Amino acid sequence: MNRRKIVAGNWKMNKSLSEALELARDIDAYAGEGPLSGVTKIVFPPSPFLHEISKVFRNGTVLVGAQNCHTHESGAYTGEVSAAMLSSVGCKYVLVGHSERRQYFNETSEQLLQKMQQALHHGLKPVYCVGETLDERKSGRHFEVVKQQLTEVLGQFKLADMQEVIVAYEPVWAIGTGETATSAQAQEMHAYIRTVLAGMFNKETADGLHVLYGGSCNAQNARELFACADVDGGLIGGASLKADDFRQIMASF
Ligand code: PGA
């Protein structure tokens, strides 16, 4: 199965507009380089910067995504941003179900499902994030937890929708902690995610699905993680805030 290599940077709630633009211009300056040409590059800047950042990447070598979208189409939801708005400012992707959203904003599977539906309806490719906490891994429930996250949300979609969906496996205990999953742990879970998807849809869909690893992935460990058969790339937090580190991660395939 010929899957693309993908490296995505989740900038989270970091940087001023001028700093974000500087990072974007630095990335744009190397994004077209030959050795990186086989890598799909995506950045997820904070929402107030999306329009300006999209303009920096207007030649399309780097694609832009949002870190979140609202569950509803439009209306009286003060402070929220709709999928349609994101699409209108040049976004092609949106993160759904990042563990920080699940944890700090109590996002439920029901809401994540609505966000995914909004995203797909407005032509955004959702990057659906799954992953277990440290307690869940220690108690041996990590497969069960990830399976539930997959079935409750992705299980509601039609086969055709799955072409547009990317899954990111991000063990919560590895996010921002400096403690990354071993390549064996990542491979094991990524293979498991495909097994679950094969059961929900079919083997072809599972084999074609892009599954990214996230959680303290950096320029030092990316090569080993990306070498795993079922790891199609990374969703990078901290290390995506430095243009050089991000480039090295992209060059790790
Ligand atoms: P990290 O974050 O690389 O800083 O661990 C990853 C993420 O939350 O997407």
Side-chain angles (χ1 to χ4, degrees):
M1 180 56 69
N2 234 351
R3 296 189 299 265
R4 284 175 291 133
K5 302 171 169 69
I6 302 173
V7 173
N10 175 9
W11 296 359
K12 306 193 181 183
M13 196 171 75
N14 291 296
K15 297 195 181 284
S16 64
L17 176 61
S18 61
E19 289 164 349
L21 283 170
E22 189 184 335
L23 176 58
R25 289 190 194 106
D26 288 347
I27 295 170
D28 194 52
Y30 62 65
E33 286 173 2
L36 304 181
S37 63
V39 180
T40 299
K41 309 157 189 80
I42 311 169
V43 295
F44 292 89
S47 55
F49 309 156
L50 288 168
H51 192 213
E52 286 298 307
I53 301 278
S54 297
K55 290 194 229 162
V56 174
F57 297 129
R58 67 168 71 74
N59 70 10
T61 37
V62 179
L63 300 161
V64 175
Q67 298 171 18
N68 182 33
C69 71
H70 191 55
T71 49
H72 286 75
E73 181 70 33
S74 65
Y77 300 99
T78 301
E80 292 296 323
V81 176
S82 71
M85 292 171 184
L86 297 172
S87 191
S88 77
V89 296
C91 287
K92 302 290 181 218
Y93 294 86
V94 62
L95 298 180
V96 177
H98 190 282
S99 65
E100 288 151 17
R101 304 278 331 161
R102 292 181 192 258
Q103 189 183 340
Y104 305 135
F105 302 93
N106 301 316
E107 293 190 354
T108 62
S109 292
E110 174 71 37
Q111 289 170 313
L112 300 180
L113 174 61
Q114 289 178 299
K115 289 178 184 219
M116 296 270 299
Q117 286 165 338
Q118 282 295 319
L120 290 170
H121 183 67
H122 290 284
L124 300 172
K125 294 183 195 298
V127 178
Y128 180 59
C129 306
V130 297
E132 80 285 359
T133 63
L134 188 57
D135 277 355
E136 288 161 348
R137 178 161 282 264
K138 279 186 173 161
S139 59
R141 292 193 297 123
H142 44 298
F143 291 120
E144 183 194 317
V145 167
V146 168
K147 182 176 186 174
Q148 189 177 353
Q149 291 169 338
L150 292 169
T151 46
E152 282 182 357
V153 176
L154 300 188
Q156 310 302 314
F157 288 92
K158 292 196 217 66
L159 186 61
D161 294 326
M162 291 312 295
Q163 313 300 321
E164 308 301 316
V165 173
I166 294 176
V167 169
Y169 169 57
E170 300 203 302
V172 179
W173 48 271
I175 295 177
T177 59
E179 184 182 348
T180 185
T182 63
S183 53
Q185 285 170 325
Q187 170 56 29
E188 185 184 38
M189 186 59 87
H190 283 228
Y192 178 72
I193 289 169
R194 287 192 209 287
T195 304
V196 174
L197 266 286
M200 283 161 59
F201 297 97
N202 57 41
K203 187 168 182 322
E204 200 189 343
T205 302
D207 286 347
L209 180 79
H210 291 88
V211 188
L212 310 182
Y213 170 79
S216 297
C217 183
N218 57 38
Q220 283 72 48
N221 58 31
R223 188 173 298 274
E224 200 186 323
L225 287 161
F226 295 177
C228 298
D230 287 298
V231 176
D232 301 308
L235 178 56
I236 321 297
S240 73
L241 295 172
K242 293 197 183 110
D244 269 356
D245 288 16
F246 197 49
R247 176 201 218 150
Q248 280 185 55
I249 292 168
M250 287 183 202
S252 298
F253 284 100

